[in-house]
Amino acid sequence: ASVDFGSGGLRKNEVARDFVAALGRMLTREGNRIGAILYGSQVDAVLPARGGRLQVLHLLQHLLNRKPQQQPYATQLDKLLQAAAQSIRRRSTVFVVSDFISEPGWERTLGQLAQRHDVVAVRLFDPLELQLPDLGLVPMRDAETGDYLMVDTHDRRFRQRFSELAAQRELSLRQSLARSGVDALELRTDDELIEALMRFCRLRLQRLRGRATLAAAT
């Protein structure tokens, strides 16, 4: 439920759909096959890998037709990663598109997945999750638990503490992804999609160059 959020023109789930559409079309044009495992409160759809433009449209239809969760439910990213490990038999490039707001325990499974596949963590986030503006007294709802809380954003110390905790979470998440041995691409809700794809291409190029250097050294 936490991906159904955005402080600007787009929500995180809309950014995810746009990214998947552009990446899927780019990959299938080169003759690659794409599939998907979709997670809501549980793994609710598995699309076997196929090629072609129709497969991209089929995937997008699934994403567009997904119904909002009726009840709050804490994300268990570990279940999605376990499903990927069990379903993807051939060595593949795996994109984990998530905001990584989840119950703990997914890091180990992500590392195990990265041992068998080439894994890219596509992390979704909104600027408002990092720093709060001064909006006065506002009600806030935890999308994962449904809990409500009145927050005084006019309190400078509260905003500072919020920013400090957000920075700690950012550091912890990046360290977890690095320890898991995956590439990470960050997608903000106010990002330009083309620039995000260019960052992805640069990331992959750096990875390939690193492999070539290692091969030459050994």
Side-chain angles (χ1 to χ4, degrees), residues 74-86:
T75 299
Q76 294 178 296
L77 187 57
D78 185 59
K79 289 186 176 181
L80 172 63
L81 299 174
Q82 287 180 12
Q86 295 167 4

Side-chain angles (χ1 to χ4, degrees), residues 37 39 43 76-88 94 96 100 102-121 176-177 179-182:
I37 301 172
Y39 177 94
V43 174
Q76 294 178 296
L77 187 57
D78 185 59
K79 289 186 176 181
L80 172 63
L81 299 174
Q82 287 180 12
Q86 295 167 4
S87 302
I88 306 172
V94 179
V96 183
F100 291 88
S102 168
E103 294 288 304
W106 53 266
E107 297 89 345
R108 181 179 178 184
T109 311
L110 182 64
Q112 292 171 343
L113 191 67
Q115 291 176 3
R116 296 178 53 192
H117 304 284
D118 184 12
V119 179
V120 180
S176 295
L177 295 176
R179 285 195 299 267
S180 298
V182 305

Side-chain angles (χ1 to χ4, degrees), residues 30-208:
E30 298 299 322
N32 297 290
R33 297 187 303 156
I34 64 168
I37 301 172
L38 306 181
Y39 177 94
S41 58
Q42 59 185 353
V43 174
D44 51 38
V46 177
L47 281 65
R50 294 188 175 90
R53 178 173 173 271
L54 288 180
Q55 175 70 349
V56 179
L57 295 176
H58 183 51
L59 171 55
L60 289 178
Q61 184 180 34
H62 271 270
L63 293 174
L64 289 169
N65 291 340
R66 303 191 81 196
K67 296 181 180 179
Q69 289 180 219
Q70 298 301 315
Q71 298 295 330
Y73 191 94
T75 299
Q76 294 178 296
L77 187 57
D78 185 59
K79 289 186 176 181
L80 172 63
L81 299 174
Q82 287 180 12
Q86 295 167 4
S87 302
I88 306 172
R89 300 298 183 183
R90 298 177 60 182
R91 179 169 175 81
S92 306
T93 299
V94 179
F95 298 88
V96 183
V97 185
S98 172
D99 60 7
F100 291 88
I101 297 176
S102 168
E103 294 288 304
W106 53 266
E107 297 89 345
R108 181 179 178 184
T109 311
L110 182 64
Q112 292 171 343
L113 191 67
Q115 291 176 3
R116 296 178 53 192
H117 304 284
D118 184 12
V119 179
V120 180
V122 183
R123 187 274 182 105
L124 309 164
F125 71 100
D126 186 272
L128 202 60
E129 295 171 328
L130 306 180
Q131 191 170 15
L132 285 177
D134 183 354
L135 298 174
L137 192 65
V138 295
M140 291 191 176
R141 177 178 181 268
D142 188 325
E144 297 279 308
T145 66
D147 294 339
Y148 279 92
L149 184 68
M150 293 299 295
V151 174
D152 184 6
T153 61
H154 186 62
D155 186 333
R156 180 183 57 82
R157 289 174 299 178
F158 173 80
R159 296 199 309 273
Q160 181 178 352
R161 182 59 177 155
F162 180 92
S163 298
E164 290 172 353
L165 291 173
Q168 291 175 14
R169 179 182 179 276
E170 287 290 299
L171 178 61
S172 176
L173 176 56
R174 288 171 180 170
Q175 289 175 338
S176 295
L177 295 176
R179 285 195 299 267
S180 298
V182 305
D183 287 338
L185 174 64
E186 296 187 340
L187 280 183
R188 293 168 53 114
T189 54
D190 57 356
D191 256 343
E192 290 289 340
L193 183 58
I194 298 301
E195 175 57 29
L197 288 171
M198 292 297 293
R199 286 203 308 272
F200 166 70
C201 292
R202 289 194 294 267
L203 181 72
R204 305 307 288 171
L205 185 58
Q206 290 172 1
R207 183 70 171 264
L208 291 173

